[in-house]
């Protein structure tokens, strides 16, 4: 697979902070391949949102190198055409659904991006219908967004980005303001973008259960990469995660506690069903042994 | 409370009024307003009331909903009516006289006519420009009608975009106002007692949060728009292109005909109040 | 003893308009003094309406809200006094900040109560401590704080009125795990030290399990289930039938029980399940 994002010693400092505090991003290096589904974890203020903003040229690097889709984003990156190109390739979905919908009718909002690309009318129409179908919101095409639920609004925002046919979507805590139903709607949409539309996904979140569903988890702490690996690798390091104010899925936490009690259980199970299977098997065996010894 | 305000909200539908070109609707509203202020005879006013009723019926929007828009300006309406009623000096003897107030027949007429004008104006502009037209269509219409001004470097697109966004955020801001008022009430804020200055000061805890959140909305929205490759009107295409259809011409013709007849009526039917012209 | 009670309360939004909507449908429920009661349910189940009714922001269309056995609407003019006794923290309360300094903003409620400046200062400091606001932030503008700090300042603004009952609508929404723990922990400290009663609306079943004594489940404007935390989470199938979840750990415990492992005890926290497994294993060994 080809590389889509590459950061080398990438740093970013907000100007007002410069003299006193350490930078928001401190010499991070990483690369993300096309088609990957990456979750980015970290507590508030860890620098994870700053990273997202760099990918979309809302901010530009203070130091180091950043390549998006083969283009280098330099500190003085301001050439309008190249910014436009990068933004067309990398779509962004934000936290507050209300602050990213421009139009008062769903389909006109989805059309906003393609219209900015200057596409012909028939093509815009086609893309809007395709995008609304993909997020399951076609029947709401003529509704006003402010009557929709939070989850539905976020799906409209996703459709609005999808209609621009990006190669990558960045979700900047897009589930943080939603109720459980809205979260699960948006999570399904995100996974669909990755699996069916073959879009590279960066999902920034502080919900562990969401991160556990990605192919890869990057943990950012104090502007540095703290961990980077598969969900199993990352979540098995329970104590380290806790030390930076993060949690692990409850099943993993239970196994971790039982291991401390002397049980021989694996550390890298993260899904509830895996935990049930493993524990049930272990306990059955254990009780049979116990029974036999009596 | 605030949620009851319906002014400035689009009601989805498929009526003839909904399907008219937004430019037609803007022109119709303008023509209608001109007619309202040219009309001087009772018959002309009856005609205009009838016409408005027909439009309301056509739009298929519930009557109650439309009239709520008027409720918001009721106080203003009563105030202007009262001024007209009390301050108009007629030529004959007053119909009613007490203390310093004298009410003449002309005063009553003027108050009634003023009220009718304002009510019809609100109804028609609400009906054409907000209830049956999406804000985007409306601004597209304005942009298109004003596009000749682009030649003299007036930023028509930016102006239109500003209106779209303002309209988009009306419901959001109404909700937020409700929420801030509730939150401050829960902290014991008192908005209803004390003199003028105390009451004005009591508004600070509402206005500051609203201002702050409006700025936040604006910043976030600007970022979101840029992320979606927005860079002004140049090079932008539209999904929906405005086209005049037969129904637009017919409707314009119809309203123009009514305008002409009102004008004719003014000349052939005795006018009640010659000086109504000057209002 | 129930300190706060709803008796047969109904509430209709937009009465007499095409948008009329029955938000609460003859709800009767009581809240125990000195306990933390969680209120769960979907968006639109009537939870938020309930919080507004409890604090007298809205008046029931029918039925009554009783505080210590007396109707809060007995004398409608004194409703402001009731609001000082029943504090309400709305969703995303950081939007309510307005004053020049954090200190002044937290003092807004106590000032409206007509307290003297010494008492206000005392209460502001106390509230800031419970909400976890560092002293050096107190003289900053609330608009210079981070998101999490703003949330704390807003919550402190309600705590400073020292309400006997505190109603909170998703106080930790959108915060990271550390922020959640600190805010909810601070609220529990307040509850314990003042023997206050807390009603906590939240979507997070894990938080409910960790902090609450009792739970009220709402569905479509009615009370669906009430009981202690363990009673309610034991009925996971009923909860799931109305689209609500139980904490992940409770699902795991239920899964183990279904696989024939008889666990018992408080099966809705990690610690509870761990203890249940330990005693199960010990029990097996002892026989």
């Amino acid at each position: 697979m080809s590389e889509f994002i590459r950061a080398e010693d990438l740093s970013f400092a907000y100007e007002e902070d410069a003299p006193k505090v350490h930078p928001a991003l401190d010499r991070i290096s990483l690369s993300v391949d096309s088609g990957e589904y990456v979750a980015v974890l970290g507590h508030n203020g860890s620098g994870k949102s700053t990273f997202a903003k760099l990918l979309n040229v809302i901010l530009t690097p203070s130091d180091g190198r950043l390549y998006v889709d083969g283009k280098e984003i330099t500190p003085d990156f301001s050439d309008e055409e190249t910014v436009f190109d990068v933004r067309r390739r990398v779509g962004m979905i934000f936290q507050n659904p209300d602050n990213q919908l421009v139009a008062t009718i769903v389909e006109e909002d989805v059309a906003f991006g393609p219209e900015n690309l200057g596409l012909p009318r028939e093509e815009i129409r086609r893309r809007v219908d395709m995008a609304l179908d993909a997020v399951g919101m076609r029947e709401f095409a003529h509704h006003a967004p402010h009557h929709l639920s939070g989850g539905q609004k976020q799906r409209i925002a996703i459709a609005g980005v999808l209609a621009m046919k990006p190669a990558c979507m960045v979700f900047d805590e897009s589930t943080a303001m939603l109720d459980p139903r809205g979260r699960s709607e948006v999570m399904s949409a995100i996974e669909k973008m990755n699996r069916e539309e073959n879009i590279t996904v960066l999902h920034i979140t502080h919900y562990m259960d969401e991160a556990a569903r990605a192919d890869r988890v990057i943990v950012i702490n104090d502007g540095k990469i703290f961990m980077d690996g598969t969900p199993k690798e990352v979540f098995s390091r329970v104590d380290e995660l806790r030390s930076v104010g993060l949690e692990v899925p409850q099943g993993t936490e239970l196994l971790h506690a039982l291991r401390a009690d002397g049980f021989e259980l694996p550390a890298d199970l993260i899904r509830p069903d895996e935990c049930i299977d493993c524990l049930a098997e272990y306990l059955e065996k254990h009780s049979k042994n116990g029974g036999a010894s009596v | 409370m605030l949620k009851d305000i319906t002014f400035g909200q689009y009601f989805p539908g498929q009526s003839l009024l909904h399907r008219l070109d937004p430019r037609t609707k803007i022109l119709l509203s303008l023509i209608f307003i001109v007619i309202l202020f040219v009309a001087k005879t009772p018959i002309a006013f009856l005609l205009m009331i009838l016409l408005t009723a027909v439009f309301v019926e056509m739009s298929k929007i519930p009557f109650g909903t439309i009239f709520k828009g008027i409720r918001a300006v009721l106080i203003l309406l009563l105030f202007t009516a009262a001024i007209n009623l009390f301050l108009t000096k007629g030529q004959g003897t007053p119909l009613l006289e007490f203390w310093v107030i004298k009410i003449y027949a002309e005063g009553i007429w003027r108050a009634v006519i003023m009220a009718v004008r304002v009510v019809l104006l609100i109804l028609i502009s609400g009906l054409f420009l907000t209830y049956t037209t999406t804000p985007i269509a409306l601004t597209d219409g304005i942009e298109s009608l004003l596009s000749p001004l682009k030649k003299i470097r007036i930023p028509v697109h930016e102006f239109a975009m500003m209106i779209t966004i303002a309209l988009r955020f009306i419901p959001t801001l109404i909700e937020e106002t409700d929420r801030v008022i509730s939150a401050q009430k829960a902290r014991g804020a008192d908005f209803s007692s004390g003199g003028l200055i105390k009451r004005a000061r009591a508004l600070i805890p509402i206005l500051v949060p609203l201002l702050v959140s409006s700025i936040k909305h604006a910043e976030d929205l600007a970022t979101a728009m840029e992320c979606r490759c927005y860079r002004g009107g140049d090079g932008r295409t539209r999904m929906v292109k405005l086209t005049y259809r037969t129904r637009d011409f017919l409707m314009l013709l119809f309203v123009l005909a009514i305008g002409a007849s009102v004008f004719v009526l003014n000349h052939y039917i005795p006018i009640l109040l010659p000086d109504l012209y000057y209002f | 003893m129930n300190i706060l009670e709803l008796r047969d309360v109904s509430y209709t939004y937009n009465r007499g308009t095409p948008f009329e909507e029955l938000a609460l449908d003859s709800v009767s429920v009581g809240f125990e003094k000195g306990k933390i009661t969680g209120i769960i349910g979907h968006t639109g189940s009537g939870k938020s309406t309930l919080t507004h009714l409890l604090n007298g922001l809205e008046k029931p269309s029918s039925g009554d809200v009783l505080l210590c056995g007396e109707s809060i609407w007995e004398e409608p003019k004194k409703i402001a006094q009731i609001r000082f006794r029943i504090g309400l923290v709305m969703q995303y309360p950081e939007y309510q900040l307005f004053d020049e300094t954090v200190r002044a903003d937290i003092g807004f409620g106590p000032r409206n109560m007509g307290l003297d400046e010494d008492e206000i200062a005392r209460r502001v400091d106390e509230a800031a401590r419970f909400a976890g606001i560092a002293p050096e932030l107190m003289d900053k503008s609330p608009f210079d704080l981070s998101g999490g700090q703003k949330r704390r300042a807003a919550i402190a603004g309600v705590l400073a009125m020292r309400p006997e009952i505190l109603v909170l609508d998703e106080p930790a929404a959108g915060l990271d795990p550390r922020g959640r723990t600190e805010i909810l922990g601070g609220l529990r400290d307040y509850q314990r030290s003042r023997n206050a009663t807390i009603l906590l609306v939240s979507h997070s079943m894990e938080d409910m399990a960790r902090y609450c004594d009792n739970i009220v489940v709402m569905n479509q404007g009615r009370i669906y289930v009430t009981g202690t935390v363990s009673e309610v989470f034991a009925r996971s199938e009923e909860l799931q039938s109305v689209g609500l979840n139980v904490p992940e750990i409770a699902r795991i415990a239920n899964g183990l029980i279904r696989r024939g492992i008889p666990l018992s005890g408080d099966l809705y926290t990690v610690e509870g399940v761990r203890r249940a497994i330990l005693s199960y294993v010990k029990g097996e060994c002892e026989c």
Side-chain angles (χ1 to χ4, degrees):
Chain A
M1 263 192 274
S2 63
E3 196 176 57
F4 189 79
I5 296 166
R6 189 151 108 137
E8 290 169 6
D9 285 329
L10 176 67
S11 295
F12 180 84
Y14 289 95
E15 262 168 46
E16 62 256 45
D17 297 349
K20 38 184 188 174
V21 230
H22 56 77
L25 280 183
D26 191 4
R27 280 174 289 144
I28 66 164
S29 298
L30 64 90
S31 86
V32 175
D33 284 340
S34 286
E36 261 196 289
Y37 174 14
V38 183
V40 182
L41 275 177
H43 60 76
N44 293 341
S46 60
K48 58 192 193 319
S49 285
T50 307
F51 182 60
K53 291 196 176 91
L54 287 166
L55 297 177
N56 210 287
V57 213
I58 299 168
L59 303 172
T60 54
S62 309
D63 200 11
R65 288 167 178 278
L66 175 65
Y67 300 89
V68 175
D69 198 16
K71 285 196 181 62
E72 181 171 5
I73 296 173
T74 51
D76 52 353
F77 199 76
S78 59
D79 171 39
E80 211 177 287
E81 280 313 306
T82 351
V83 172
F84 191 77
D85 270 351
V86 172
R87 287 186 177 153
R88 198 174 58 187
R89 304 288 290 155
V90 184
M92 186 110 160
I93 291 97
F94 297 88
Q95 185 179 42
N96 187 340
D98 274 322
N99 289 359
Q100 50 190 322
L101 301 180
V102 184
T104 39
I105 292 294
V106 165
E107 65 169 17
E108 288 179 354
D109 188 82
V110 176
F112 181 74
E115 288 176 343
N116 291 334
L117 298 180
L119 299 169
R121 198 177 323 141
E122 304 72 35
E123 176 64 14
I124 298 179
R125 183 77 256 171
R126 223 179 355 259
R127 286 189 180 196
V128 168
D129 292 343
M130 174 277 292
L132 283 173
D133 276 334
V135 297
M137 290 295 289
R138 183 76 172 268
E139 59 181 306
F140 294 94
H142 299 283
H143 285 232
H146 73 268
H147 289 309
L148 302 179
S149 73
Q152 290 173 326
K153 284 184 206 167
Q154 284 302 53
R155 279 149 72 198
I156 300 300
I158 294 173
V161 170
L162 179 65
M164 297 169 75
K165 297 209 170 157
C168 174
M169 284 192 194
V170 181
F171 296 86
D172 191 0
E173 297 193 27
S174 313
T175 54
M177 292 179 81
L178 305 179
D179 62 5
R181 189 181 284 171
R183 269 177 64 199
S184 84
E185 285 171 19
V186 170
M187 283 306 291
S188 316
I190 292 177
E191 280 163 13
K192 192 170 180 195
M193 292 302 115
N194 180 251
R195 303 226 171 91
E196 289 171 28
E197 309 289 337
N198 208 14
I199 287 170
T200 311
V201 167
L202 255 80
H203 178 41
I204 297 171
T205 180
H206 41 240
Y207 288 112
M208 309 303 136
D209 53 330
E210 291 178 4
R213 290 159 71 164
D215 300 332
R216 173 177 166 197
V217 179
I218 296 174
V219 182
I220 296 188
N221 188 48
D222 283 342
K224 291 192 167 74
I225 291 183
F226 184 70
M227 287 184 202
D228 183 351
T230 64
K232 278 178 190 288
E233 286 161 10
V234 167
F235 288 124
S236 60
R237 293 155 74 179
V238 179
D239 295 322
E240 284 167 84
L241 282 173
R242 281 201 187 133
S243 73
V244 295
L246 295 176
E247 286 171 350
V248 296
Q250 285 191 315
T252 318
E253 193 184 336
L254 175 67
L255 294 183
H256 182 77
L258 289 171
R259 274 160 57 86
D261 291 325
F263 287 49
E264 283 161 38
L265 291 164
D268 64 347
L269 299 184
I270 49 179
R271 290 203 320 270
D273 53 327
E274 293 176 331
C275 297
I276 295 174
D277 287 345
C278 164
L279 267 172
E281 210 171 291
Y282 181 86
L283 292 175
E284 269 161 32
K285 213 190 292 168
H286 200 93
S287 78
K288 261 177 215 148
N289 289 346
S293 70
V294 173
Chain B
M1 45 205 291
L2 287 169
K3 284 175 194 140
D4 292 340
I5 298 175
T6 54
F7 194 76
Q9 281 181 28
Y10 172 67
F11 281 81
Q14 288 296 322
S15 74
L16 176 61
L17 288 196
H18 283 87
R19 282 179 294 148
L20 284 178
D21 187 286
R23 290 170 294 186
T24 311
K25 288 189 260 193
I26 295 169
L27 292 175
L28 284 177
S29 311
L30 291 176
I31 297 170
F32 200 94
I33 290 167
V34 170
I35 301 177
L36 264 184
F37 283 82
V38 167
K40 285 178 293 179
T41 62
I43 294 182
F45 278 105
L46 282 178
L47 195 62
M48 301 308 284
I49 293 173
L50 194 70
L51 189 62
T52 310
V54 169
F55 282 142
V56 169
E57 176 55 31
M58 255 177 158
S59 73
K60 306 240 165 55
I61 293 170
F63 232 65
T65 312
I66 294 177
F67 273 93
K68 264 195 179 162
I70 299 179
R71 236 165 52 186
V73 288
L74 198 63
I75 294 176
L76 183 75
L77 201 65
L78 289 176
F79 184 71
T80 32
I83 290 215
N84 277 304
L85 189 61
F86 297 138
L87 299 185
T88 307
K89 286 233 171 355
Q91 288 149 350
T93 46
L95 295 177
L96 205 71
E97 199 174 348
F98 60 94
W99 192 41
V100 292
I101 294 165
K102 295 190 180 83
I103 292 175
Y104 297 86
E106 288 92 333
I108 296 179
W109 260 112
R110 193 174 286 196
V112 168
I113 284 171
M114 226 33 223
V116 169
R117 274 180 180 164
V118 174
V119 168
L120 291 187
L121 190 140
I122 292 169
L123 283 180
I124 284 295
S125 54
L127 200 57
F128 280 141
L129 303 180
T130 61
Y131 294 129
T132 65
T133 313
T134 66
I136 285 234
L138 181 66
T139 42
D140 283 353
I142 296 174
E143 191 176 345
S144 166
L145 285 173
L146 296 182
S147 60
L149 295 179
K150 278 181 190 163
K151 293 208 177 74
I152 52 167
R153 298 235 178 133
I154 290 177
V156 177
H157 167 78
E158 283 71 12
F159 174 67
M161 188 50 98
M162 269 163 52
I163 300 180
T164 309
I165 290 168
L167 289 171
R168 152 73 185 80
F169 276 92
I170 286 176
T172 310
L173 286 177
I174 289 178
E175 248 176 66
E176 248 158 43
T177 311
D178 246 356
R179 201 168 60 186
V180 173
I181 291 178
S182 298
Q184 307 301 28
K185 265 194 196 162
R187 292 207 278 165
D190 179 6
F191 305 118
S192 52
S193 67
L196 200 60
I197 293 175
K198 186 165 176 256
R199 285 193 192 200
R201 282 181 65 100
L203 288 178
I204 295 174
I206 297 175
L207 295 180
V208 173
L210 280 180
L211 188 68
V212 170
S213 78
S214 303
I215 293 171
K216 170 90 177 129
H217 284 311
E219 277 178 2
D220 284 1
L221 188 71
T223 312
M225 285 170 73
E226 277 188 24
C227 281
R228 289 166 79 181
C229 292
Y230 180 70
R231 44 180 185 178
D234 297 341
R236 202 171 129 77
T237 50
R238 303 305 313 271
M239 176 169 71
V240 183
K241 186 162 196 278
L242 299 178
T243 38
Y244 287 118
R245 294 175 198 280
T246 324
R247 55 175 173 255
D248 294 298
F249 290 114
L250 289 179
M251 191 60 109
L252 275 170
L253 216 61
F254 173 63
V255 174
L256 279 173
I258 296 222
S261 52
V262 166
F263 197 72
V264 171
L265 283 173
N266 281 346
H267 283 268
Y268 290 93
I269 289 188
I271 296 166
L272 270 167
L273 295 166
D275 62 341
L276 265 179
Y277 251 134
Y278 308 109
F279 266 82
Chain C
M1 184 204 130
N2 288 339
I3 184 168
L4 190 61
E5 207 177 326
L6 291 187
R7 206 168 279 171
D8 211 17
V9 168
S10 297
Y11 188 79
T12 314
Y13 276 113
N14 300 315
R15 238 189 180 164
T17 74
F19 303 101
E20 189 170 297
E21 198 188 321
L22 183 64
L24 286 183
D25 187 3
S26 38
V27 167
S28 294
V29 65
F31 299 99
E32 263 181 276
K33 185 174 167 58
K35 293 279 161 77
I36 302 185
T37 304
I39 303 174
I40 58 182
H42 277 302
T43 309
S45 63
K47 288 175 303 174
S48 290
T49 313
L50 188 72
T51 61
H52 286 200
L53 286 167
L54 289 173
N55 158 280
L57 273 179
E58 312 272 2
K59 202 175 172 179
S61 307
S62 70
D64 217 344
V65 182
L66 307 177
L67 174 62
C68 302
E70 278 174 44
S71 168
I72 64 170
W73 291 100
E74 193 80 23
E75 282 176 86
K77 281 191 178 152
K78 291 197 171 160
I79 196 69
Q81 298 304 316
I82 300 288
R83 291 194 191 126
F84 295 134
R85 295 177 60 193
I86 311 175
L88 172 66
V89 177
M90 311 227 300
Q91 230 176 49
Y92 299 103
E94 49 273 31
Y95 289 119
Q96 73 186 35
L97 300 173
F98 73 96
D99 222 324
E100 281 170 46
T101 64
V102 174
R103 190 186 300 283
D105 204 291
I106 300 176
F108 180 67
R111 206 155 277 131
N112 287 330
M113 296 170 82
L115 301 172
D116 65 60
E117 286 301 320
D118 287 347
E119 179 64 15
I120 293 175
R122 224 179 352 262
R123 289 187 173 206
V124 167
D125 287 337
E126 180 200 83
R129 212 167 46 244
F130 281 120
I133 301 167
E136 65 267 22
L137 296 178
M138 294 297 281
D139 293 306
K140 278 194 169 185
S141 158
F143 303 113
D144 290 339
L145 303 184
S146 74
Q149 291 166 339
K150 278 185 195 160
R151 178 76 56 87
R152 288 153 196 260
I155 291 174
V158 176
L159 290 181
M161 299 190 293
R162 285 200 192 151
E164 298 155 52
I165 302 171
L166 192 55
V167 184
L168 302 115
D169 195 350
E170 287 275 7
L175 299 180
D176 60 20
R178 187 184 283 165
R180 294 186 84 86
T181 319
E182 285 173 3
I183 284 189
L184 294 172
L187 290 170
R188 186 165 55 189
D189 292 345
Y190 175 83
Q191 180 255 338
R192 285 183 183 158
S193 74
R194 306 216 73 88
N195 192 27
T197 307
I198 289 188
L199 312 185
L200 182 65
V201 175
S202 174
H203 287 302
S204 164
M205 300 300 157
E206 284 76 18
D207 287 347
M208 287 287 162
R210 202 171 303 162
Y211 296 100
C212 295
D213 303 302
N214 298 321
I215 287 187
V216 171
V217 184
M218 305 224 23
N219 188 42
Q220 297 183 339
R222 291 165 189 260
I223 304 289
Y224 186 66
V225 176
T226 60
T228 63
V229 175
S230 47
E231 282 165 6
V232 170
F233 284 139
R235 302 162 79 170
S236 65
E237 264 148 40
E238 278 165 78
L239 292 182
Q240 275 161 357
S241 74
V242 291
L244 291 168
N245 256 324
V246 294
E248 190 178 303
I249 193 70
R251 253 178 296 157
I252 291 175
N254 287 338
L256 289 174
I257 292 172
R258 235 175 320 198
R259 296 279 288 265
I261 295 167
L263 299 177
S264 60
D266 290 341
L267 301 177
Y268 47 86
T269 59
V270 173
E271 187 47 33
V273 174
R274 174 182 157 253
R275 257 184 270 136
I277 289 179
L278 287 180
S279 69
Y280 163 75
V281 170
K282 222 197 283 166
E284 287 286 337
C285 291
E286 274 164 9
C287 358

